[in-house]
Amino acid sequence: RSKSSRRIIFTIASAAIAAMFVVVLGINIYFNMQDKSASNDKEEFIVGSLLESEDIQLISENKHTVFEDDIEMNITEEGKASVTKGSFGNDDIDLADTSLNKLIVPYGKRTQLSLSDGTKVWLNSGTVLEFPSKFSGKSRDIFLTSGEIFVDAATDRQKPFYVHSNDFQVKVYGTSFNINAYAESASSVVLVNGSVSLKSGKVFDEIFINPSQKATLTDNGAFETEVVNVEKFISWKNGYLTFDDAPMLDVLKQVGRYYNFSFDFAQGVNIQKRTCTGKIYLSENVENVLAAISLLTSTKYDKENNKIYIK
């Protein structure tokens, strides 16, 4: 299993081949509770460290709980968490009433969360989400600190649903959508059905997007929209990545982000024009991923922690 952190580094030339592959992958996280008086920088450093470790972590006020395997968490109307741990049974956890709870999903893992209003949230690898045990105010608000989530929001016309990220907010009108807010890529929202509006911290005009549209946040705070195949952006919640004639560099970038791998290429390794069509199934065998990459690129590799050197 992999535990480390680096970004994908590509130094390559050109060549051509088309390919398709199916692989299997997975990982874990570790977590540690911090005093509320700690600075933002310190908290970001701690959360970043937790994303690199091996267990899913739930922080609720002065209490934290560690989960070694993938889980499904259901928040009851009373604000308690019922956690299903595969074949290992259930745990019931009391959550804080007066502060947000924080769920940290490490690189290589995924988690499903059902909020107290019936809204379902899927959390992708490397994600930090804050949420209340109960929605007691005039709106329902959750906070995506980093990572990626898919939301199937429950309809409640009396209480609008909001997702807040560091750069923008999404107002939900009964819908399902995907939010990508990884630090190393441009933040985006993909709408599957229903309706959402977007508003950034730099441009205060509210914009709406339609189903099958993707809105990407630009550097100046505006949103650029385009029509997309939503399956490419949401298949991760079902346990696989989907590619359709995708450049191998993009494939490696997504695989690397899921694993937190860093790729480097020796001089003479040419895969710039190679493409991939097919699915990558997300499970626990990291070596299968590397073997597939080696096969598709007609190369060999050396692995040192999470640095992959293709030669």
PDB file of all heavy atoms in Angstrom, residues 21-51:
ATOM      1  N   PHE A  21      -6.948   0.008 -21.060  1.00  0.00           N
ATOM      2  CA  PHE A  21      -6.575  -0.869 -19.961  1.00  0.00           C
ATOM      3  C   PHE A  21      -7.545  -0.811 -18.801  1.00  0.00           C
ATOM      4  O   PHE A  21      -8.262   0.147 -18.629  1.00  0.00           O
ATOM      5  CB  PHE A  21      -5.128  -0.616 -19.488  1.00  0.00           C
ATOM      6  CG  PHE A  21      -4.893   0.671 -18.765  1.00  0.00           C
ATOM      7  CD1 PHE A  21      -5.076   0.764 -17.396  1.00  0.00           C
ATOM      8  CD2 PHE A  21      -4.451   1.796 -19.441  1.00  0.00           C
ATOM      9  CE1 PHE A  21      -4.816   1.930 -16.737  1.00  0.00           C
ATOM     10  CE2 PHE A  21      -4.208   2.961 -18.773  1.00  0.00           C
ATOM     11  CZ  PHE A  21      -4.374   3.021 -17.419  1.00  0.00           C
ATOM     12  N   VAL A  22      -7.514  -1.922 -18.063  1.00  0.00           N
ATOM     13  CA  VAL A  22      -8.350  -2.042 -16.869  1.00  0.00           C
ATOM     14  C   VAL A  22      -7.434  -2.414 -15.711  1.00  0.00           C
ATOM     15  O   VAL A  22      -6.710  -3.371 -15.811  1.00  0.00           O
ATOM     16  CB  VAL A  22      -9.403  -3.155 -17.024  1.00  0.00           C
ATOM     17  CG1 VAL A  22     -10.230  -3.297 -15.767  1.00  0.00           C
ATOM     18  CG2 VAL A  22     -10.293  -2.849 -18.210  1.00  0.00           C
ATOM     19  N   VAL A  23      -7.430  -1.649 -14.652  1.00  0.00           N
ATOM     20  CA  VAL A  23      -6.556  -1.906 -13.516  1.00  0.00           C
ATOM     21  C   VAL A  23      -7.315  -1.811 -12.204  1.00  0.00           C
ATOM     22  O   VAL A  23      -8.454  -1.396 -12.176  1.00  0.00           O
ATOM     23  CB  VAL A  23      -5.355  -0.938 -13.508  1.00  0.00           C
ATOM     24  CG1 VAL A  23      -4.450  -1.169 -14.677  1.00  0.00           C
ATOM     25  CG2 VAL A  23      -5.843   0.465 -13.456  1.00  0.00           C
ATOM     26  N   VAL A  24      -6.609  -2.187 -11.163  1.00  0.00           N
ATOM     27  CA  VAL A  24      -7.245  -2.238  -9.861  1.00  0.00           C
ATOM     28  C   VAL A  24      -6.414  -1.489  -8.828  1.00  0.00           C
ATOM     29  O   VAL A  24      -5.230  -1.551  -8.893  1.00  0.00           O
ATOM     30  CB  VAL A  24      -7.369  -3.692  -9.384  1.00  0.00           C
ATOM     31  CG1 VAL A  24      -8.306  -3.798  -8.207  1.00  0.00           C
ATOM     32  CG2 VAL A  24      -7.821  -4.566 -10.511  1.00  0.00           C
ATOM     33  N   LEU A  25      -7.053  -0.764  -7.913  1.00  0.00           N
ATOM     34  CA  LEU A  25      -6.282   0.116  -7.028  1.00  0.00           C
ATOM     35  C   LEU A  25      -6.944   0.417  -5.686  1.00  0.00           C
ATOM     36  O   LEU A  25      -8.100   0.177  -5.525  1.00  0.00           O
ATOM     37  CB  LEU A  25      -5.906   1.362  -7.842  1.00  0.00           C
ATOM     38  CG  LEU A  25      -6.056   2.785  -7.367  1.00  0.00           C
ATOM     39  CD1 LEU A  25      -5.597   3.705  -8.453  1.00  0.00           C
ATOM     40  CD2 LEU A  25      -7.369   3.131  -6.872  1.00  0.00           C
ATOM     41  N   GLY A  26      -6.225   1.044  -4.757  1.00  0.00           N
ATOM     42  CA  GLY A  26      -6.760   1.433  -3.426  1.00  0.00           C
ATOM     43  C   GLY A  26      -5.698   1.877  -2.434  1.00  0.00           C
ATOM     44  O   GLY A  26      -4.554   1.754  -2.707  1.00  0.00           O
ATOM     45  N   ILE A  27      -6.003   2.395  -1.251  1.00  0.00           N
ATOM     46  CA  ILE A  27      -5.090   2.969  -0.219  1.00  0.00           C
ATOM     47  C   ILE A  27      -5.805   3.222   1.110  1.00  0.00           C
ATOM     48  O   ILE A  27      -6.909   2.881   1.257  1.00  0.00           O
ATOM     49  CB  ILE A  27      -4.437   4.262  -0.735  1.00  0.00           C
ATOM     50  CG1 ILE A  27      -3.153   3.956  -1.464  1.00  0.00           C
ATOM     51  CG2 ILE A  27      -4.114   5.189   0.345  1.00  0.00           C
ATOM     52  CD1 ILE A  27      -2.390   5.194  -1.839  1.00  0.00           C
ATOM     53  N   ASN A  28      -5.205   4.039   2.025  1.00  0.00           N
ATOM     54  CA  ASN A  28      -5.756   4.407   3.353  1.00  0.00           C
ATOM     55  C   ASN A  28      -5.229   5.752   3.901  1.00  0.00           C
ATOM     56  O   ASN A  28      -4.378   6.332   3.318  1.00  0.00           O
ATOM     57  CB  ASN A  28      -5.431   3.328   4.381  1.00  0.00           C
ATOM     58  CG  ASN A  28      -5.926   1.972   4.014  1.00  0.00           C
ATOM     59  OD1 ASN A  28      -6.760   1.838   3.145  1.00  0.00           O
ATOM     60  ND2 ASN A  28      -5.450   0.960   4.653  1.00  0.00           N
ATOM     61  N   ILE A  29      -5.698   6.231   5.154  1.00  0.00           N
ATOM     62  CA  ILE A  29      -5.329   7.567   5.756  1.00  0.00           C
ATOM     63  C   ILE A  29      -5.089   7.534   7.266  1.00  0.00           C
ATOM     64  O   ILE A  29      -5.601   6.664   7.898  1.00  0.00           O
ATOM     65  CB  ILE A  29      -6.459   8.582   5.479  1.00  0.00           C
ATOM     66  CG1 ILE A  29      -5.964   9.990   5.540  1.00  0.00           C
ATOM     67  CG2 ILE A  29      -7.510   8.454   6.428  1.00  0.00           C
ATOM     68  CD1 ILE A  29      -7.047  10.992   5.239  1.00  0.00           C
ATOM     69  N   TYR A  30      -4.374   8.433   7.798  1.00  0.00           N
ATOM     70  CA  TYR A  30      -4.258   8.565   9.255  1.00  0.00           C
ATOM     71  C   TYR A  30      -4.626   9.953   9.694  1.00  0.00           C
ATOM     72  O   TYR A  30      -4.503  10.895   8.966  1.00  0.00           O
ATOM     73  CB  TYR A  30      -2.832   8.276   9.741  1.00  0.00           C
ATOM     74  CG  TYR A  30      -2.636   8.597  11.191  1.00  0.00           C
ATOM     75  CD1 TYR A  30      -3.142   7.756  12.155  1.00  0.00           C
ATOM     76  CD2 TYR A  30      -1.993   9.773  11.560  1.00  0.00           C
ATOM     77  CE1 TYR A  30      -2.997   8.080  13.477  1.00  0.00           C
ATOM     78  CE2 TYR A  30      -1.843  10.081  12.886  1.00  0.00           C
ATOM     79  CZ  TYR A  30      -2.338   9.228  13.828  1.00  0.00           C
ATOM     80  OH  TYR A  30      -2.199   9.522  15.159  1.00  0.00           O
ATOM     81  N   PHE A  31      -5.075  10.126  10.903  1.00  0.00           N
ATOM     82  CA  PHE A  31      -5.638  11.402  11.326  1.00  0.00           C
ATOM     83  C   PHE A  31      -5.276  11.762  12.764  1.00  0.00           C
ATOM     84  O   PHE A  31      -5.074  10.892  13.563  1.00  0.00           O
ATOM     85  CB  PHE A  31      -7.147  11.275  11.190  1.00  0.00           C
ATOM     86  CG  PHE A  31      -7.864  12.289  11.887  1.00  0.00           C
ATOM     87  CD1 PHE A  31      -8.170  13.462  11.256  1.00  0.00           C
ATOM     88  CD2 PHE A  31      -8.225  12.071  13.178  1.00  0.00           C
ATOM     89  CE1 PHE A  31      -8.856  14.402  11.921  1.00  0.00           C
ATOM     90  CE2 PHE A  31      -8.893  13.014  13.838  1.00  0.00           C
ATOM     91  CZ  PHE A  31      -9.211  14.177  13.211  1.00  0.00           C
ATOM     92  N   ASN A  32      -5.210  13.012  13.071  1.00  0.00           N
ATOM     93  CA  ASN A  32      -4.869  13.436  14.429  1.00  0.00           C
ATOM     94  C   ASN A  32      -5.603  14.710  14.770  1.00  0.00           C
ATOM     95  O   ASN A  32      -5.693  15.586  13.947  1.00  0.00           O
ATOM     96  CB  ASN A  32      -3.351  13.685  14.526  1.00  0.00           C
ATOM     97  CG  ASN A  32      -2.873  13.621  15.955  1.00  0.00           C
ATOM     98  OD1 ASN A  32      -3.683  13.630  16.874  1.00  0.00           O
ATOM     99  ND2 ASN A  32      -1.578  13.550  16.117  1.00  0.00           N
ATOM    100  N   MET A  33      -6.128  14.789  16.002  1.00  0.00           N
ATOM    101  CA  MET A  33      -6.960  15.924  16.416  1.00  0.00           C
ATOM    102  C   MET A  33      -6.094  17.111  16.755  1.00  0.00           C
ATOM    103  O   MET A  33      -5.025  16.961  17.318  1.00  0.00           O
ATOM    104  CB  MET A  33      -7.791  15.502  17.634  1.00  0.00           C
ATOM    105  CG  MET A  33      -8.869  16.465  17.994  1.00  0.00           C
ATOM    106  SD  MET A  33     -10.083  16.603  16.705  1.00  0.00           S
ATOM    107  CE  MET A  33     -11.035  17.923  17.392  1.00  0.00           C
ATOM    108  N   GLN A  34      -6.553  18.330  16.433  1.00  0.00           N
ATOM    109  CA  GLN A  34      -5.774  19.534  16.700  1.00  0.00           C
ATOM    110  C   GLN A  34      -6.593  20.532  17.492  1.00  0.00           C
ATOM    111  O   GLN A  34      -7.811  20.591  17.394  1.00  0.00           O
ATOM    112  CB  GLN A  34      -5.329  20.182  15.390  1.00  0.00           C
ATOM    113  CG  GLN A  34      -4.312  19.344  14.639  1.00  0.00           C
ATOM    114  CD  GLN A  34      -3.085  19.095  15.448  1.00  0.00           C
ATOM    115  OE1 GLN A  34      -2.516  19.998  16.018  1.00  0.00           O
ATOM    116  NE2 GLN A  34      -2.682  17.856  15.525  1.00  0.00           N
ATOM    117  N   ASP A  35      -5.917  21.343  18.280  1.00  0.00           N
ATOM    118  CA  ASP A  35      -6.559  22.395  19.060  1.00  0.00           C
ATOM    119  C   ASP A  35      -7.153  23.448  18.137  1.00  0.00           C
ATOM    120  O   ASP A  35      -6.570  23.820  17.137  1.00  0.00           O
ATOM    121  CB  ASP A  35      -5.506  23.053  19.970  1.00  0.00           C
ATOM    122  CG  ASP A  35      -6.158  23.954  21.001  1.00  0.00           C
ATOM    123  OD1 ASP A  35      -6.616  25.043  20.599  1.00  0.00           O
ATOM    124  OD2 ASP A  35      -6.207  23.557  22.163  1.00  0.00           O
ATOM    125  N   LYS A  36      -8.338  23.959  18.461  1.00  0.00           N
ATOM    126  CA  LYS A  36      -9.023  24.918  17.604  1.00  0.00           C
ATOM    127  C   LYS A  36      -8.270  26.231  17.485  1.00  0.00           C
ATOM    128  O   LYS A  36      -8.494  27.007  16.561  1.00  0.00           O
ATOM    129  CB  LYS A  36     -10.432  25.181  18.147  1.00  0.00           C
ATOM    130  CG  LYS A  36     -11.345  23.983  18.030  1.00  0.00           C
ATOM    131  CD  LYS A  36     -12.731  24.315  18.560  1.00  0.00           C
ATOM    132  CE  LYS A  36     -13.643  23.112  18.455  1.00  0.00           C
ATOM    133  NZ  LYS A  36     -14.979  23.399  18.996  1.00  0.00           N
ATOM    134  N   SER A  37      -7.377  26.490  18.429  1.00  0.00           N
ATOM    135  CA  SER A  37      -6.637  27.751  18.391  1.00  0.00           C
ATOM    136  C   SER A  37      -5.450  27.707  17.445  1.00  0.00           C
ATOM    137  O   SER A  37      -4.761  28.699  17.245  1.00  0.00           O
ATOM    138  CB  SER A  37      -6.135  28.096  19.807  1.00  0.00           C
ATOM    139  OG  SER A  37      -5.246  27.104  20.258  1.00  0.00           O
ATOM    140  N   ALA A  38      -5.172  26.553  16.834  1.00  0.00           N
ATOM    141  CA  ALA A  38      -4.039  26.442  15.920  1.00  0.00           C
ATOM    142  C   ALA A  38      -4.261  27.318  14.708  1.00  0.00           C
ATOM    143  O   ALA A  38      -5.372  27.566  14.284  1.00  0.00           O
ATOM    144  CB  ALA A  38      -3.866  24.975  15.488  1.00  0.00           C
ATOM    145  N   SER A  39      -3.192  27.746  14.091  1.00  0.00           N
ATOM    146  CA  SER A  39      -3.291  28.629  12.934  1.00  0.00           C
ATOM    147  C   SER A  39      -3.773  27.842  11.725  1.00  0.00           C
ATOM    148  O   SER A  39      -3.724  26.615  11.678  1.00  0.00           O
ATOM    149  CB  SER A  39      -1.919  29.229  12.620  1.00  0.00           C
ATOM    150  OG  SER A  39      -1.047  28.211  12.174  1.00  0.00           O
ATOM    151  N   ASN A  40      -4.237  28.568  10.689  1.00  0.00           N
ATOM    152  CA  ASN A  40      -4.698  27.921   9.462  1.00  0.00           C
ATOM    153  C   ASN A  40      -3.569  27.153   8.796  1.00  0.00           C
ATOM    154  O   ASN A  40      -3.764  26.060   8.272  1.00  0.00           O
ATOM    155  CB  ASN A  40      -5.254  28.964   8.494  1.00  0.00           C
ATOM    156  CG  ASN A  40      -6.570  29.521   8.965  1.00  0.00           C
ATOM    157  OD1 ASN A  40      -7.274  28.890   9.749  1.00  0.00           O
ATOM    158  ND2 ASN A  40      -6.910  30.713   8.496  1.00  0.00           N
ATOM    159  N   ASP A  41      -2.358  27.737   8.799  1.00  0.00           N
ATOM    160  CA  ASP A  41      -1.227  27.063   8.177  1.00  0.00           C
ATOM    161  C   ASP A  41      -0.941  25.738   8.864  1.00  0.00           C
ATOM    162  O   ASP A  41      -0.675  24.726   8.217  1.00  0.00           O
ATOM    163  CB  ASP A  41       0.023  27.951   8.232  1.00  0.00           C
ATOM    164  CG  ASP A  41      -0.077  29.116   7.278  1.00  0.00           C
ATOM    165  OD1 ASP A  41      -0.946  29.082   6.386  1.00  0.00           O
ATOM    166  OD2 ASP A  41       0.708  30.074   7.431  1.00  0.00           O
ATOM    167  N   LYS A  42      -0.996  25.752  10.189  1.00  0.00           N
ATOM    168  CA  LYS A  42      -0.730  24.527  10.942  1.00  0.00           C
ATOM    169  C   LYS A  42      -1.798  23.490  10.663  1.00  0.00           C
ATOM    170  O   LYS A  42      -1.511  22.315  10.463  1.00  0.00           O
ATOM    171  CB  LYS A  42      -0.678  24.839  12.440  1.00  0.00           C
ATOM    172  CG  LYS A  42      -0.311  23.636  13.302  1.00  0.00           C
ATOM    173  CD  LYS A  42      -0.192  24.033  14.759  1.00  0.00           C
ATOM    174  CE  LYS A  42       0.173  22.823  15.613  1.00  0.00           C
ATOM    175  NZ  LYS A  42       0.257  23.177  17.049  1.00  0.00           N
ATOM    176  N   GLU A  43      -3.059  23.926  10.606  1.00  0.00           N
ATOM    177  CA  GLU A  43      -4.155  22.997  10.348  1.00  0.00           C
ATOM    178  C   GLU A  43      -4.038  22.404   8.952  1.00  0.00           C
ATOM    179  O   GLU A  43      -4.241  21.209   8.755  1.00  0.00           O
ATOM    180  CB  GLU A  43      -5.493  23.702  10.502  1.00  0.00           C
ATOM    181  CG  GLU A  43      -6.679  22.767  10.290  1.00  0.00           C
ATOM    182  CD  GLU A  43      -8.005  23.444  10.563  1.00  0.00           C
ATOM    183  OE1 GLU A  43      -7.990  24.608  10.992  1.00  0.00           O
ATOM    184  OE2 GLU A  43      -9.029  22.805  10.327  1.00  0.00           O
ATOM    185  N   GLU A  44      -3.691  23.246   7.956  1.00  0.00           N
ATOM    186  CA  GLU A  44      -3.524  22.740   6.597  1.00  0.00           C
ATOM    187  C   GLU A  44      -2.399  21.722   6.526  1.00  0.00           C
ATOM    188  O   GLU A  44      -2.495  20.709   5.837  1.00  0.00           O
ATOM    189  CB  GLU A  44      -3.249  23.901   5.637  1.00  0.00           C
ATOM    190  CG  GLU A  44      -4.472  24.777   5.396  1.00  0.00           C
ATOM    191  CD  GLU A  44      -4.141  25.954   4.511  1.00  0.00           C
ATOM    192  OE1 GLU A  44      -2.989  26.025   4.034  1.00  0.00           O
ATOM    193  OE2 GLU A  44      -5.027  26.794   4.294  1.00  0.00           O
ATOM    194  N   PHE A  45      -1.317  21.985   7.269  1.00  0.00           N
ATOM    195  CA  PHE A  45      -0.192  21.051   7.284  1.00  0.00           C
ATOM    196  C   PHE A  45      -0.621  19.707   7.876  1.00  0.00           C
ATOM    197  O   PHE A  45      -0.295  18.640   7.351  1.00  0.00           O
ATOM    198  CB  PHE A  45       0.960  21.624   8.096  1.00  0.00           C
ATOM    199  CG  PHE A  45       2.099  20.662   8.301  1.00  0.00           C
ATOM    200  CD1 PHE A  45       3.023  20.433   7.297  1.00  0.00           C
ATOM    201  CD2 PHE A  45       2.225  19.970   9.496  1.00  0.00           C
ATOM    202  CE1 PHE A  45       4.067  19.534   7.489  1.00  0.00           C
ATOM    203  CE2 PHE A  45       3.258  19.073   9.692  1.00  0.00           C
ATOM    204  CZ  PHE A  45       4.186  18.861   8.693  1.00  0.00           C
ATOM    205  N   ILE A  46      -1.389  19.762   8.957  1.00  0.00           N
ATOM    206  CA  ILE A  46      -1.840  18.544   9.621  1.00  0.00           C
ATOM    207  C   ILE A  46      -2.778  17.759   8.725  1.00  0.00           C
ATOM    208  O   ILE A  46      -2.631  16.547   8.545  1.00  0.00           O
ATOM    209  CB  ILE A  46      -2.526  18.885  10.957  1.00  0.00           C
ATOM    210  CG1 ILE A  46      -1.486  19.451  11.929  1.00  0.00           C
ATOM    211  CG2 ILE A  46      -3.207  17.671  11.562  1.00  0.00           C
ATOM    212  CD1 ILE A  46      -2.074  20.131  13.129  1.00  0.00           C
ATOM    213  N   VAL A  47      -3.755  18.449   8.130  1.00  0.00           N
ATOM    214  CA  VAL A  47      -4.701  17.770   7.239  1.00  0.00           C
ATOM    215  C   VAL A  47      -3.968  17.157   6.061  1.00  0.00           C
ATOM    216  O   VAL A  47      -4.241  16.033   5.650  1.00  0.00           O
ATOM    217  CB  VAL A  47      -5.801  18.743   6.773  1.00  0.00           C
ATOM    218  CG1 VAL A  47      -6.626  18.113   5.653  1.00  0.00           C
ATOM    219  CG2 VAL A  47      -6.699  19.119   7.939  1.00  0.00           C
ATOM    220  N   GLY A  48      -3.002  17.893   5.504  1.00  0.00           N
ATOM    221  CA  GLY A  48      -2.218  17.350   4.402  1.00  0.00           C
ATOM    222  C   GLY A  48      -1.493  16.081   4.799  1.00  0.00           C
ATOM    223  O   GLY A  48      -1.414  15.126   4.027  1.00  0.00           O
ATOM    224  N   SER A  49      -0.965  16.043   6.014  1.00  0.00           N
ATOM    225  CA  SER A  49      -0.287  14.846   6.497  1.00  0.00           C
ATOM    226  C   SER A  49      -1.261  13.689   6.640  1.00  0.00           C
ATOM    227  O   SER A  49      -0.933  12.542   6.345  1.00  0.00           O
ATOM    228  CB  SER A  49       0.388  15.135   7.846  1.00  0.00           C
ATOM    229  OG  SER A  49       1.366  16.143   7.719  1.00  0.00           O
ATOM    230  N   LEU A  50      -2.477  13.990   7.097  1.00  0.00           N
ATOM    231  CA  LEU A  50      -3.478  12.944   7.272  1.00  0.00           C
ATOM    232  C   LEU A  50      -3.891  12.338   5.935  1.00  0.00           C
ATOM    233  O   LEU A  50      -4.162  11.143   5.843  1.00  0.00           O
ATOM    234  CB  LEU A  50      -4.713  13.514   7.989  1.00  0.00           C
ATOM    235  CG  LEU A  50      -4.451  14.108   9.370  1.00  0.00           C
ATOM    236  CD1 LEU A  50      -5.744  14.616   9.981  1.00  0.00           C
ATOM    237  CD2 LEU A  50      -3.817  13.081  10.288  1.00  0.00           C
ATOM    238  N   LEU A  51      -3.941  13.162   4.905  1.00  0.00           N
ATOM    239  CA  LEU A  51      -4.297  12.656   3.582  1.00  0.00           C
ATOM    240  C   LEU A  51      -3.256  11.684   3.051  1.00  0.00           C
ATOM    241  O   LEU A  51      -3.549  10.871   2.182  1.00  0.00           O
ATOM    242  CB  LEU A  51      -4.486  13.820   2.615  1.00  0.00           C
ATOM    243  CG  LEU A  51      -5.721  14.685   2.835  1.00  0.00           C
ATOM    244  CD1 LEU A  51      -5.682  15.905   1.922  1.00  0.00           C
ATOM    245  CD2 LEU A  51      -6.994  13.892   2.602  1.00  0.00           C
TER     246      LEU A  51
END
